Amino acid sequence: KSKCMAKISKYTLSVCVITKNEADRIRKCLDSVKHLADEIVVLDSGSTDGTVDIVKEYTDNVWVTDWPGFGPQKQRCLEKATKDWVLFIDADESLDKTAQNALRKLLAQEAIEEVAFTIKWGVVRHGKMLKHGRSGRSPLRLFIREGSSFTPVQVHEKVIHPEGKVGRLPGILLHYTVRDYGEALAKNAKYGWLGSQKYFENGRRNNSLLLVIARAYWTFFQIYIIRGGFLDGRIGLLVALDYMQTNFAKHAGLWVLTREEKIQRKEKREL
């Protein structure tokens, strides 16, 4: 039973979170949703910093598991949810007051015609909330539970929900994406390599380092110029360069995997 505040709504809500070593920011996340949730479901993949103990202050629905990747882990978490609607929120995110009030009103409606909702991201980097570039997105985080699932991929998983209308929930999903720039660099490398592996497993190959460089520069141009990242000032420039770096790493990794595959095939032929 989740330790959530009592509420009266027409529809019930499961809040789902996956965690690992989030003790310094999980309270902000859960405090923003505890009064909205009928249950909070958390899957932790081996925290060593007290995250699980903090989460148990909010809910008894906590499981410690291995780490199979983002898609499979979120699917596991979703399968433990039992309520009408699901809000999937990351441990480094929180709903602002406008989004909290909008969600409360939505769940109190007599009927909800939508099957899912996006929420505008408010990415916070180095003390500034970004409104443009890749930060200007609205991820789909709120959806009807029955008939929904996650794609079984290691990274950049997506929600598969029943066919129907997708709405936009008012308010902001605040995303405190990195603690410091060292973590930003580590995430660039992590997601770049995961992206390389995902592409390779899906049958994509890359034989050109020039294409690697071109894709990286195109990413910067798209985020900083086309999507208006320059409007976020110096932090917007820094973040656009970070995305450029991640894209370079992803396609460079794919080039290396492609090269290694060719070498292995050649060695087999020569045996």
Side-chain angles (χ1 to χ4, degrees):
K1 180 180 178 181
S2 295
K3 304 168 185 178
C4 305
M5 297 174 64
K7 70 186 189 71
I8 300 175
S9 297
K10 176 71 175 178
Y11 296 93
T12 54
L13 178 70
S14 299
V15 172
C16 292
V17 192
I18 62 172
T19 59
K20 184 174 183 181
N21 292 334
E22 299 287 355
D24 59 330
R25 50 192 183 185
I26 190 63
R27 288 187 189 279
K28 180 180 290 187
C29 170
L30 297 181
D31 283 341
S32 76
V33 296
K34 65 182 182 181
H35 56 294
L36 301 167
D38 295 282
E39 67 176 3
I40 296 174
V41 181
V42 178
L43 260 64
D44 184 89
S45 54
S47 291
T48 57
D49 65 347
T51 296
V52 173
D53 291 333
I54 295 173
V55 169
K56 285 181 178 178
E57 297 175 20
Y58 295 82
T59 179
D60 295 326
N61 298 326
V62 187
W63 289 267
V64 177
T65 74
D66 62 345
W67 176 248
F70 285 96
Q73 186 76 333
K74 287 189 175 182
Q75 179 62 29
R76 286 175 174 176
C77 196
L78 176 59
E79 289 171 0
K80 294 184 179 297
T82 64
K83 304 307 178 183
D84 301 327
W85 283 79
V86 174
L87 173 68
F88 240 100
I89 186 169
D90 290 342
D92 58 357
E93 296 174 335
S94 62
L95 294 181
D96 75 352
K97 291 296 184 181
T98 300
Q100 292 175 34
N101 291 333
L103 182 51
R104 183 185 297 108
K105 290 178 182 177
L106 177 72
L107 296 172
Q109 291 179 187
E110 285 297 317
I112 302 175
E113 62 180 22
E114 295 87 352
V115 298
F117 289 84
T118 61
I119 309 174
K120 185 174 177 56
W121 236 354
V123 176
V124 180
R125 283 286 299 265
H126 315 300
K128 180 179 179 65
M129 189 173 83
L130 307 177
K131 299 179 180 179
H132 306 281
R134 286 290 296 278
S135 304
R137 293 181 290 169
S138 298
L140 192 151
R141 295 299 185 81
L142 178 65
F143 51 92
I144 194 166
R145 180 181 62 81
E146 191 164 347
S148 296
S149 62
F150 281 92
T151 52
V153 295
Q154 291 290 306
V155 66
H156 299 146
E157 70 291 342
K158 294 181 180 179
V159 178
I160 302 172
H161 55 75
E163 289 188 13
K165 182 179 179 181
V166 176
R168 169 76 68 84
L169 190 76
I172 301 292
L173 178 65
L174 295 166
H175 184 198
Y176 301 91
T177 177
V178 294
R179 297 174 175 89
D180 52 41
Y181 195 64
E183 185 177 16
L185 292 174
K187 288 181 77 171
N188 289 347
K190 174 184 177 181
Y191 285 111
W193 178 234
L194 285 173
S196 302
Q197 294 171 297
K198 178 181 175 181
Y199 278 168
F200 190 78
E201 290 168 3
N202 289 340
R204 291 185 62 170
R205 300 294 183 267
N206 181 20
N207 297 296
S208 172
L209 277 178
L210 286 177
L211 184 60
V212 171
I213 296 169
R215 286 184 179 277
Y217 276 102
W218 168 246
T219 296
F220 175 81
F221 183 78
Q222 184 184 51
I223 292 172
Y224 192 65
I225 303 299
I226 297 177
R227 296 190 181 183
F230 65 91
L231 296 171
D232 286 321
R234 291 175 294 179
I235 300 299
L237 173 61
L238 185 67
V239 170
L241 290 168
D242 282 348
Y243 276 113
M244 178 182 179
Q245 182 183 49
T246 301
N247 192 276
F248 175 86
K250 178 169 61 178
H251 290 282
L254 181 60
W255 182 86
V256 171
L257 289 170
T258 303
R259 174 181 169 82
E260 290 173 347
E261 181 183 56
K262 288 181 176 179
I263 292 172
Q264 290 171 3
R265 287 176 177 174
K266 181 180 179 181
E267 289 174 347
K268 286 181 180 180
R269 288 195 301 267
E270 293 174 350
L271 288 177

